[in-house]
Amino acid sequence: MVRYEIDPNHTNVGFSAKHLAVSTVHGQFSKFEGYFEGPTMTSRKARGEVKVHVASIDTRTEQRDNHLRSADFFRRREVPLYDLQAHGSRAGRR
């Protein structure tokens, strides 16, 4: 079994979203942790888990960040930590 811990100094958990169908907003989460593991380094049977701290969202606009943390979006008070899990992998196109 091969296991890789996510190194926050060399990893970015980011996102982009259309804003009013005119511009694209980019953001990231600065606090997260996780791992990926599998029988070999190139295994399609790999699995992993990433935990993202919602309070660490940053779109470079404080008003928008506070709105994203609110009940309208991520519900930071009720769900302060999002747990994302991956089971297997496959080749694909973007």
Side-chain angles (χ1 to χ4, degrees):
M1 180 71 69
V2 178
R3 181 179 174 107
Y4 296 97
E5 297 292 328
I6 293 175
D7 179 355
N9 295 313
H10 296 97
T11 307
N12 178 47
V13 176
F15 61 89
S16 61
K18 284 289 189 188
H19 177 66
L20 301 175
V22 175
S23 65
T24 302
V25 173
H26 298 273
Q28 65 182 14
F29 293 93
S30 61
K31 190 172 179 188
F32 54 88
E33 64 266 349
Y35 69 91
F36 291 93
E37 65 184 9
T40 66
M41 285 180 28
T42 59
S43 175
R44 291 183 185 255
K45 296 179 182 177
R47 59 184 217 86
E49 179 177 40
V50 178
K51 294 182 180 184
V52 177
H53 297 259
V54 174
S56 73
I57 196 167
D58 180 14
T59 63
R60 298 186 308 181
T61 304
E62 186 175 354
Q63 184 178 6
R64 179 174 41 231
D65 294 346
N66 289 334
H67 189 205
L68 290 171
R69 291 180 190 114
S70 77
D72 289 343
F73 289 94
F74 287 111
R75 301 180 358 230
R76 180 188 62 84
R77 293 195 195 285
E78 296 87 19
V79 187
L81 191 70
Y82 274 73
D83 189 359
L84 310 167
Q85 298 183 5
H87 302 279
S89 65
R90 62 183 169 87
R93 292 183 292 190
R94 288 183 138 207

